[in-house]
Amino acid sequence: MVTIAIVEDNIYCLNMISQQLRESMEEEYVLNTYTNTEDYLNVLLNERIEFDVVILDIELDNKSGIDLAIQTNITSPLTQIIFVTAYINYASDVYESKHVYFMCKERIDQYLPIALERALTNVHNFESQMIYLSWNKQTFKVSQRDIIYAERDYRITYVYTKNEVYRTSKKINELINDLNSCFCMCHKSIVVNLNYVKDIQRNTVILKTDKTLPISRSQKDDFKKNFNHFLINKNVED
């Protein structure tokens, strides 16, 4: 279910946006509304709630909506931000932050459905690139692009990301079925994100973090083949 927040200090405008949202959304969603920035920041920074979509007024009580968007970009980078304003002169300023759409309040009925469609497309694309790792009765939602590699050690698989190390009981051959085509096994107990591979030397994979991992004899040819194929496709995309 999609989670949406509206940050708007004008009650009339808040109700107008909420009504238009109800008319525009074709899928189930949970809506949270905030009439002051402090309440929203508390949820974002302290409760660590990451909304799928945030609809932000640019002129708020004691803080710029653009500054609020920048804070959201940092804390919850996958959140899709839609700006609404009564003043078109902010059109250039909004590019200081990452956002999906900018619109004037007087034309919200025309442009909110378009903005939501774009935002939700991004949300669903991101969702397809997430995996869920469970351990000790907790479940963690992890972005695949942040996973560097995963390694099985006895009965635990350790998933190494940019910022955290997660544990799961899934075996490597089970985990790789949940991952996209950027991942490849270099050993029966290790799977690597090819985006983080810097070089392959003899029986070793060197990561961009300078971590070295072993390549087993049985996996070596397939790993090299997959890595070369990955580099060719990446160059074509670039």
Side-chain angles (χ1 to χ4, degrees):
M1 185 178 295
V2 179
T3 57
I4 301 176
I6 301 174
V7 187
E8 169 62 76
D9 56 359
N10 183 299
I11 296 298
Y12 171 80
C13 291
L14 177 63
N15 291 335
M16 177 183 67
I17 296 170
S18 299
Q19 176 61 35
Q20 188 60 50
L21 187 64
R22 285 192 292 271
E23 295 175 4
S24 302
M25 285 293 290
E26 296 181 354
E27 58 184 281
E28 292 186 5
Y29 67 97
V30 174
L31 177 63
N32 293 265
T33 60
Y34 304 93
T35 55
N36 67 74
T37 58
E38 295 307 315
D39 287 345
Y40 172 73
L41 285 172
N42 179 61
V43 168
L44 179 72
L45 302 178
N46 298 326
E47 297 183 28
R48 309 296 293 182
I49 294 177
E50 299 184 12
F51 295 104
D52 293 312
V53 181
V54 175
I55 302 173
L56 274 175
D57 187 5
I58 291 180
E59 280 201 346
L60 294 163
D61 47 14
N62 59 355
K63 192 176 184 71
S64 162
I66 296 172
D67 291 339
L68 212 60
I70 292 171
Q71 183 65 66
T72 303
N73 292 160
I74 295 169
T75 307
S76 180
L78 299 185
T79 295
Q80 302 299 295
I81 294 174
I82 298 172
F83 282 117
V84 295
T85 183
Y87 307 99
I88 193 65
N89 56 298
Y90 285 112
S92 298
D93 296 338
V94 297
Y95 288 96
E96 295 176 16
S97 66
K98 183 180 177 182
H99 64 284
V100 71
Y101 215 89
F102 168 87
M103 73 187 76
C104 288
K105 291 180 180 178
E106 62 182 19
R107 303 185 69 179
I108 198 168
D109 59 332
Q110 178 181 355
Y111 289 112
L112 186 59
I114 299 171
L116 286 171
E117 182 178 1
R118 292 188 184 180
L120 294 176
T121 296
N122 290 341
V123 168
H124 295 318
N125 285 341
F126 288 139
E127 186 65 28
S128 68
Q129 292 301 309
M130 308 297 287
I131 63 168
Y132 294 86
L133 301 174
S134 297
W135 182 258
N136 197 23
K137 297 182 180 180
Q138 287 185 293
T139 300
F140 302 93
K141 184 177 179 182
V142 182
S143 172
Q144 293 192 44
R145 66 182 179 181
D146 290 338
I147 297 175
I148 301 172
Y149 72 99
E151 183 172 14
R152 184 78 172 177
D153 187 11
Y154 293 100
R155 296 185 177 181
I156 303 173
T157 296
Y158 296 88
V159 180
Y160 295 84
T161 72
K162 292 179 179 180
N163 302 310
E164 302 281 347
V165 179
Y166 298 92
R167 290 181 291 179
T168 177
S169 58
K170 284 189 175 182
K171 297 177 181 178
I172 289 296
N173 59 357
E174 295 173 330
L175 180 64
I176 199 168
N177 289 331
D178 297 332
L179 298 169
N180 62 39
S181 60
C182 293
F183 290 84
C184 184
M185 290 175 63
C186 64
H187 189 280
K188 67 178 182 180
S189 62
I190 304 172
V191 61
V192 182
N193 186 340
L194 297 176
N195 284 292
Y196 292 95
V197 174
K198 181 166 67 175
D199 197 10
I200 301 172
Q201 295 182 359
R202 297 177 63 86
N203 298 320
T204 304
V205 177
I206 302 174
L207 303 181
K208 293 177 181 178
T209 61
D210 290 328
K211 171 75 175 179
T212 60
L213 298 171
I215 305 179
S216 65
R217 185 176 302 175
S218 60
Q219 300 288 345
K220 187 173 183 178
D221 289 343
D222 282 344
F223 188 85
K224 283 186 173 182
K225 181 179 178 180
N226 287 327
F227 183 55
N228 288 333
H229 184 68
F230 168 81
L231 290 177
I232 291 171
N233 287 340
K234 187 173 177 63
N235 289 332
V236 169
E237 290 173 2
D238 293 342

